[in-house]
Amino acid sequence: MIGGGGRLTIGLSADQQRRLIDAAHSMAPVAGLTHNFYRYPARFSPQVARAAIETLSEPGDIVADSFVGGGTSLVEALASGRHAIGSDISTLAVFVARVKTTLLDADRLQIVERWAERTATAINMRDEAPPFEDWAEAGYLRHLDHRDRWRIRKALAQAVGWVPSGDQALEDLARCIVLRTAQWALDGRRTIPSLAEFKANLVSSAKAATAGLTSLAAAAGDDPANILILNRSAVGLETDPCLSGCLAERKPRLILTSPPYPGVHVLYHRWQVDGRKETRAPFWIANTLDGAGGSYYTMGDRKRPDLPVYFETLAAAQKSLAAISDPDTTIVQIVAFSKPDSQLKRYNEAAAAAGLEELRLDLLRDEGDGRLWREVPNRKWYNGTRPATPASNEVVLFYRLAR
């Protein structure tokens, strides 16, 4: 559909467009369902995800996310009765997304709550903790032996060593609860909490997790949709054998994703302790490996401000998204830029080269550049150690296959 000035418009009703705009402009914090299982610095808005899913797809459709991160789009798809396919290059992201979308019955959730309560009671600095020698030798516990953090490290080792075994879903949920507590205790903290505070947070995190999964199960209904999560790059996604069956007869109705931000080198998969020292402890807690260096996850080297690798990788990823689409697929990408004036143009050029055309909302045709921009509420890079940046503003971009 052609809008004013020859621009392609998305073809939604005014009410549908207003819902997308209101969701993007919402300043509500991330909350509800399982969204707070793990906190990413760049947190995908559940409000935007829900509005996009419910206005651009129907129950029973497929929603895809090729940069799944914390799994927000998958959670909202499951809650809205849509099947979902997610992929991410980070094993930690895949772990978190899987736990957030794995529904458990009330008896199993109660087992996890009781485990957390017993573990909090049993943690004791006089007792031995599993050494996790292999993890330590591989560098995953680096920077956790400081005199201000050794108690938390020992408590973590005891908690991780005592996670339930024999039921993978229960083990994963328990590990995710420890992960959430450890992130609260360590990541970007100026003051390390006491052991009593750590124990209390472990129990409260378990209660929040079981309540979130209970709410998600209620929303998903008696016949929940299917969720498939792959640990792989977005590049070449169309060739993945795991997708051949589920995409053989129909393509995703909606692709909803948030790629790494160009020029914003925040390592979501690691934590910062004692200033800007990085630790890979999240992978140890999740029992998964950190695959590569920082540029692997951010699609670019911070030493190259022109970002050639980022835009080459982005172009290839856009081609893969085009390959799993059909003319009825809407592609929504939420992204921020360190240098919006130049990088947005290059971003759209990469999309166009992949055969995608940008769509606009009619209601925004006379506002700014006609795109849907949003200010991210409460965005803090490592608890405020960085000042506000252009990446505090995101743009919601809409595409479809060029016709």
Side-chain angles (χ1 to χ4, degrees):
M1 181 176 178
I2 302 296
R7 297 181 306 182
L8 292 160
T9 56
I10 199 166
L12 296 175
S13 71
D15 287 344
Q16 289 173 317
Q17 293 181 61
R18 178 52 59 191
R19 184 176 179 194
L20 288 168
I21 294 168
D22 289 346
H25 293 166
S26 171
M27 300 301 285
V30 174
L33 302 176
T34 57
H35 292 305
N36 277 324
F37 273 31
Y38 187 72
R39 300 177 68 87
Y40 276 73
R43 306 188 73 193
F44 200 172
S45 164
Q47 291 87 354
V48 174
R50 188 177 310 126
I53 289 169
E54 293 184 353
T55 58
L56 296 167
S57 70
E58 299 290 338
D61 283 341
I62 297 174
V63 174
D65 185 347
S66 54
F67 299 93
V68 82
T72 300
S73 58
L74 306 189
V75 171
E76 289 297 331
L78 180 56
S80 301
R82 277 73 166 171
H83 305 293
I85 298 168
S87 67
D88 204 288
I89 207 164
S90 167
T91 56
L92 183 64
V94 169
F95 169 81
V96 171
R98 184 176 69 242
V99 175
K100 290 169 71 172
T101 55
T102 298
L103 303 179
L104 301 174
D105 61 45
D107 289 342
R108 295 166 83 195
L109 292 177
Q110 192 174 54
I111 290 172
V112 172
E113 275 199 38
R114 289 200 298 262
W115 163 82
E117 291 166 354
R118 289 195 305 269
T119 298
T121 301
I123 289 173
N124 192 317
M125 294 300 97
R126 294 190 179 92
D127 295 338
E128 293 296 322
F132 292 104
E133 293 175 352
D134 291 345
W135 291 97
E137 290 175 4
Y140 285 81
L141 307 184
R142 190 180 179 193
H143 301 312
L144 296 188
D145 280 331
H146 189 275
R147 64 178 182 273
D148 292 338
R149 290 183 291 279
W150 73 268
R151 290 179 179 83
I152 297 299
R153 171 180 166 164
K154 189 168 188 178
L156 282 173
Q158 290 177 343
V160 173
W162 297 336
V163 296
S165 59
D167 184 324
Q168 191 63 54
L170 292 188
E171 177 182 339
D172 287 348
L173 179 56
R175 286 182 180 274
C176 195
I177 290 165
V178 178
L179 183 70
R180 173 177 170 165
T181 300
Q183 185 184 41
W184 165 82
L186 294 171
D187 188 23
R189 287 291 295 250
R190 298 180 186 275
T191 303
I192 303 301
S194 69
L195 193 60
E197 290 172 327
F198 177 90
K199 292 180 177 183
N201 189 278
L202 183 69
V203 174
S204 64
S205 291
K207 292 181 181 299
T210 57
L213 282 170
T214 300
S215 297
L216 181 58
D222 295 333
D223 186 19
N226 297 316
I227 307 294
L228 173 65
I229 308 173
L230 305 174
N231 179 206
R232 55 154 301 124
S233 169
V235 177
L237 185 60
E238 73 278 12
T239 66
D240 195 294
C242 292
L243 296 184
S244 58
C246 54
L247 296 183
E249 296 183 0
R250 56 177 178 158
K251 303 293 187 182
R253 183 70 177 274
L254 172 66
I255 297 175
L256 173 63
T257 195
S258 183
Y261 301 162
V264 180
H265 298 280
V266 175
L267 302 181
Y268 309 150
H269 56 296
R270 298 177 189 172
W271 297 338
Q272 286 195 354
V273 296
D274 193 17
R276 297 183 66 104
K277 295 177 181 176
E278 292 178 358
T279 177
R280 295 190 290 170
F283 291 88
W284 157 58
I285 296 169
N287 195 32
T288 188
L289 297 177
D290 183 1
S295 61
Y296 182 72
Y297 298 106
T298 59
M299 300 200 318
D301 189 336
R302 70 183 70 192
K303 296 177 182 178
R304 295 290 304 274
D306 55 333
L307 304 177
V309 175
Y310 177 91
F311 284 104
E312 288 171 8
T313 308
L314 176 70
Q318 299 281 37
K319 289 180 180 178
S320 288
L321 295 188
I324 65 169
S325 301
D326 67 17
D328 293 324
T329 303
T330 304
I331 301 171
V332 180
Q333 300 184 19
I334 303 174
V335 66
F337 304 94
S338 59
K339 298 178 180 179
D341 291 344
S342 60
Q343 291 168 354
L344 175 53
K345 181 176 182 292
R346 295 177 68 188
Y347 196 96
N348 268 329
E349 288 172 349
L356 303 178
E357 56 190 11
E358 187 183 3
L359 309 175
R360 305 291 182 92
L361 299 178
D362 283 323
L363 293 184
L364 297 178
R365 61 183 175 273
D366 298 322
E367 296 186 22
D369 66 355
R371 296 185 176 94
L372 179 54
W373 289 87
R374 65 183 301 263
E375 180 182 350
V376 182
N378 303 314
R379 169 159 289 171
K380 297 179 181 178
W381 304 117
Y382 295 117
N383 282 354
T385 56
R386 292 186 179 194
T389 69
S392 295
N393 292 310
E394 296 174 334
V395 62
V396 184
L397 298 170
F398 301 90
Y399 301 102
R400 73 176 180 207
L401 291 178
R403 296 178 181 177

